[in-house]
Amino acid sequence: MRTCSLTVAMSLLRGICCLSVAAVCIPAAAQEPEIFSRTHSLFEQIRGSVAQIRVLLGSSDSHAATGSGFVVGDDGLIITNYHVIADNALEPDVYRLEFVLPGGRRGPLQIVAIDVLNDLAVVKGDTGQVKALGFRARPLAKGDGGFSLGYPLRQGLTVVEGIYNGRSEELYYERIHFTGAINSGMSGGPAVDSAGRVFGVNVATHRGGQLVSFLVPAGFATKLLARARALSAPPPANFRGDVGAQLKAHDRALQKALEAPLPTQQLGPLIVPARMGTFMQCAAGTERERDKAYDVNSYYCYTLSWLYVDPKLQTGTVMFRHRVLRSLELDPLRFAHVQEMQFRAAVSSDYTSRKHHTAYACQDRIVALQGVRAKVAQCLRRYKLFDGLYDMVLKVATLGDSSLALHSELQMDGVSYEHAMELSHRFLETIRWNR
Amino acid sequence: MEPLAFVEVMGRHGEVTARHPIWRWPSRVGRSYEMDVLLDDPFVAAGHLEIREGPNGGFQVEDLQSVNGMVVLPSPEKRTCVEVKPEDVVRIGHTQLRIRPRSYAVAAERPILQTTAYRQSVLFLIVAAVVLATFVWDAYLTTSHRDEKAIMVILVALAVAAGAVWIAVWSLVGRTVGGRVNFAAHGFVACAGVLALELWTMAVGYLAFGFDAGWLETLGLAGAAALFAYIVYHHLRLASRSGRRMCAAVAAVVSLVAFGGAAVLTNLTAAMDPAVQSHSQSLKAPLFLMVSGITPAAFLEGADRLKQEVDAMASD
């Protein structure tokens, strides 16, 4: 799963949209069910409060991105996703924000407060006399219906029906699993109950799934709103400091979540770190080909804790991978060459850019682990916009046997130096070769 | 009757391509059949030069009002009448001339160099066979599938083709510049050089891995650059007429440009691309490992240096 991005494979998503509309439309031709008239009146009741949020490049009218948002007060405050307005938060000299309401009223927006961890932002504009949406106090029950609103794929204001499925069981931060066709462009729009009260904010969709979408629970939005209203100082020139501080808070929380002794698993004679918590997703695979004279079994786990920072950076995850290389009929020298090729491949985040990252600095040594010696390489790079945050990669290749080797990697994105060193140390201390 | 002097027509690389005896003073040079020295260069006048004995022991040459004139190399200045010494080269049209008296003292006989030993084809073939064997071994090591004979053949064929082109180019250069092909000798130099490079790289690789000495890999690169320069030096000695110093200087520059350029390019790429992870990638079989290894804590202490490095990069 990826946090909702505004550049999605449009054709695929259009395909999914069309299917759902057709399924609903066929019975509608026969007789208008009651649910439609209810949806219609609900839509009429709240449509005026849902704005399209546009990110514009410089003084031009060209959209760099679009999203949705909803008015929450007479003071012109609008709630949206952080990822919708991220460009403006980090580079206000390059990007500007604009809202457009269904009646055609439009105007510039200023960011008031952001919550990177929960992907929310409060922005302010001259919205005029628009009805503010209220929040639902109690959570819905699993199976309850709800409606999500927004501007999907620039199709105009759209309402989508869906089912509340409780809290997502795997994500690190609390998200509502909502079964509904939330599409790119609806990010930041409200999800409301049948009375029109907001219980969640559209945030993401499962790209590989069918209608598996995610909402930020309304509680986080009300907290951010309270924080925004309590602010007395004018907003800063840009929000880089705020984003950096929140990324650090995330790192501290993740460090705390990972502080328990590392669970282990056995891979042949090897004991290696295993899944470190419920917020980690793990998978295994094997590369076995008929004519290959060696095989590789891979095990990898990663935290479901991505944070969207801007289009060029998602961070805040910890990933590790173990690969057991076993020679089937290679002599030690040829097997060593296979190992060398595997060790050579760089391990790095999908998000790499000169805007955000320095080059890597690396070291490598022969390290004595428990019961086995290993070549260990470590690379570190720093974030340019956020002080004290690093990406770290640790690579281990055991040298205990001429026909069996473990290649392990630990990759930490957006962490403090101390956290990187502390987990690296425990990771290395945990690997053991039982003779 | 004996000739008084000789007019020598020079080739592009300082070799004499024709030699005309002078029987009388003054003598004339040009394209006309009335001349004492006949040249076929269309950029030379029918009567271009007149040569006579000079007052200071040299030869006085006078341009007979030709269109293209006369220069004494290396100066581009046109001269009408000038006294030249036996070492001076005069250019008229596209032809270079030198005038030498009969009494000119020639250089001493050059001893036949010991390098002749490796000009024998047999030695070249022996070394080539050894190199071929190492190519086959290398190709074998790099394959990891059950049946990769085709890939091995391709790898070896590519290496052999590259070697053949390298030797052919040097032979061609030798033929053009020095007048000698020396195929076997160039082949010997190339094969012995490649063998030395392979052995050196292998030794450094295993030592650096076995003793966990990353600095050896840097040293290994410098050594390889020196070996490469030595190979180029020998090719140059075989192919050109230049002296040892000149050849050594050219070889050093070529190697420096090749290896230094590659190193600079690698570093630039690493500095530009935040995805590049530059660490030693050498992994050999465990039996070559000679050290017991440091503790994880000691290893991670080394990361302080990495932190300083990237912090400095970020503040730039």
Side-chain angles (χ1 to χ4, degrees), chain B residues 175-232:
Chain B
R175 174 71 187 82
T176 320
V177 177
R180 293 166 299 174
V181 175
N182 278 339
F183 187 82
H186 281 298
F188 176 84
V189 168
C191 290
V194 167
L195 197 62
L197 267 174
E198 284 223 1
L199 290 174
W200 169 260
T201 314
M202 201 172 79
V204 168
Y206 276 95
L207 285 174
F209 170 78
F211 293 98
D212 193 16
W215 56 271
L216 262 177
E217 288 186 11
T218 318
L219 187 74
L221 211 61
L227 262 173
F228 182 70
Y230 193 58
I231 296 168
V232 173

Side-chain angles (χ1 to χ4, degrees), chain A residues 94-128:
Chain A
V94 180
Y95 299 96
R96 63 192 176 89
L97 297 177
E98 186 186 76
F99 72 88
V100 183
L101 282 165
R105 189 184 176 94
R106 61 203 290 171
L109 285 172
Q110 278 81 42
I111 301 173
V112 183
I114 56 167
D115 180 353
V116 179
L117 278 46
N118 290 302
D119 202 350
L120 290 174
V122 174
V123 290
K124 186 173 184 162
D126 182 12
T127 54

